[in-house]
Every structure is written in C-alpha cells, then in structure tokens.
Amino acid sequence: VLFQIFDAFKPRLHDSNSKVNQVALEALHKMIPVLKDHLSPVINMLIPAIVDNNLNSKNPGIYAAATNVIQALCQHLDASLLLQPFCTKAQFLSGKAKQDLTEKLA
C-alpha cells in the first residue's frame, strides 16, 4: 500500500506547477515524523524526487520546503537508511544542491 501511495504522490514532487510542487513538499515534511522508519521501502524513490530540481530551485519556497524535508528525514529516519541514497545523489548534483547534501552527509 505504501508503494501505491508514494507512486501516486511522487509526480507531485516534480509538478510543473510550482504551488503544487511546494505543497507536496510541505505535506511530505508533515508525513515524515508520523511515518518515520516505515518510509524505508520507498526512501530510494523519494530522495531523488525530493532532491532533483527542488534543492536547486530558484523559487525560495520550493527550496525551503525541500531543505525542510531533507532535515526531517535526517531527524526522524535511521541515518543508515539515508547514507546510500544521499551519497548517490550527491555524486551527480551541482551547485547549491550538491553543497547542501554534502553538508548533510558530513
């Protein structure tokens, strides 16, 4: 069931409408403390959806929401679940997103 929910939710994290994109990130931020480590099966799907475009967004609301989601993941999930997906994404990012994710890894 979790896969079905996040398969439907994930495209909203890439939505071309910036308001939809931002609200999806804000909703995810609220879900993380509730779901915590139950997110482990979908974390490899979620991290690219959160990071791609959103951490390098020129829209300050989207960037802030993406940063808040990354922070919530770090706070509420076991670090071992995040290490591999963060490392994988950090290798291929550029700009502010690479810097932000590298700082989280450190």
Side-chain angles (χ1 to χ4, degrees):
V1 174
L2 197 63
F3 279 108
Q4 293 170 329
I5 292 168
F6 281 99
D7 277 343
F9 183 74
K10 182 182 154 191
R12 302 296 65 85
L13 296 170
H14 290 291
D15 203 284
S16 59
N17 182 325
S18 62
K19 290 179 183 176
V20 171
N21 190 344
Q22 184 173 340
V23 169
L25 286 164
E26 291 167 354
L28 182 58
H29 180 251
K30 292 175 185 173
M31 286 187 255
I32 292 168
V34 176
L35 295 173
K36 296 184 181 179
D37 288 334
H38 295 292
L39 288 172
S40 62
V42 295
I43 204 69
N44 287 325
M45 168 196 348
L46 276 182
I47 289 178
I50 296 161
V51 173
D52 294 348
N53 303 322
N54 296 324
L55 271 185
N56 270 332
S57 178
K58 293 184 184 351
N59 180 317
I62 290 174
Y63 173 75
T67 303
N68 288 340
V69 169
I70 296 295
Q71 184 63 36
L73 288 171
C74 292
Q75 273 184 306
H76 296 286
L77 270 69
D78 186 330
S80 65
L81 292 173
L82 301 173
L83 184 61
Q84 184 61 46
F86 276 9
C87 285
T88 302
K89 285 312 302 177
Q91 288 177 1
F92 301 104
L93 290 172
S94 62
K96 195 168 189 171
K98 184 172 190 116
Q99 179 183 344
D100 289 347
L101 215 51
T102 303
E103 286 175 10
K104 288 295 177 200
L105 282 165

